[in-house]
Amino acid sequence: MFRFVGNEVIGDIHLGDWGPANGPVISELELKQPGLAYFQRGHDGPFPDEPPITLGDLEKLYPAGLSRLQQWIRRADLARARRRKSYRTAGPAIAPFLAPFS
């Protein structure tokens, strides 16, 4: 629209934040191949010249990692709900002992 009315426009293709997409892939890869140099604490190289995974691997890692992440989120939500319920049903006698964990 700006270009149409005569303004100079500089285009920028923004693909968004890749962090949320890469996190499940990286964590799933670490679970599947924990021995890779990238996951070794204190390892500063050398690193492989070629990627350790193929595009086909990525097509499997992303859905698997995303599914695992969604399961962890659901479990965390369930644990928080259970903790809140236990606080409500524990009564005042145990409340002082639970306070540090809330």
Side-chain angles (χ1 to χ4, degrees):
M1 181 157 75
F2 289 111
R3 194 173 279 139
F4 178 76
V5 296
N7 292 313
E8 181 182 353
V9 177
I10 299 172
D12 178 25
I13 298 174
H14 181 72
L15 299 176
D17 182 2
W18 283 66
N22 285 329
V25 171
I26 292 168
S27 64
E28 190 67 17
L29 179 60
E30 185 174 11
L31 289 170
K32 302 265 189 221
Q33 298 183 36
L36 289 175
Y38 313 105
F39 305 124
Q40 304 308 309
R41 184 177 295 266
H43 183 81
D44 349 340
F47 292 98
D49 291 330
E50 296 295 319
I53 57 175
T54 65
L55 185 57
D57 294 331
L58 284 175
E59 290 173 348
K60 294 174 187 166
L61 288 169
Y62 179 72
L66 190 59
S67 173
R68 190 180 306 270
L69 175 63
Q70 290 167 343
Q71 289 173 1
W72 288 339
I73 290 169
R74 281 194 299 272
R75 286 181 182 175
D77 289 343
L78 287 171
R80 282 189 289 271
R82 182 166 295 191
R83 183 178 69 187
R84 284 191 299 272
K85 182 179 178 184
S86 68
Y87 288 175
R88 287 192 306 270
T89 59
I94 198 166
F97 300 105
L98 296 176
F101 304 105
S102 59

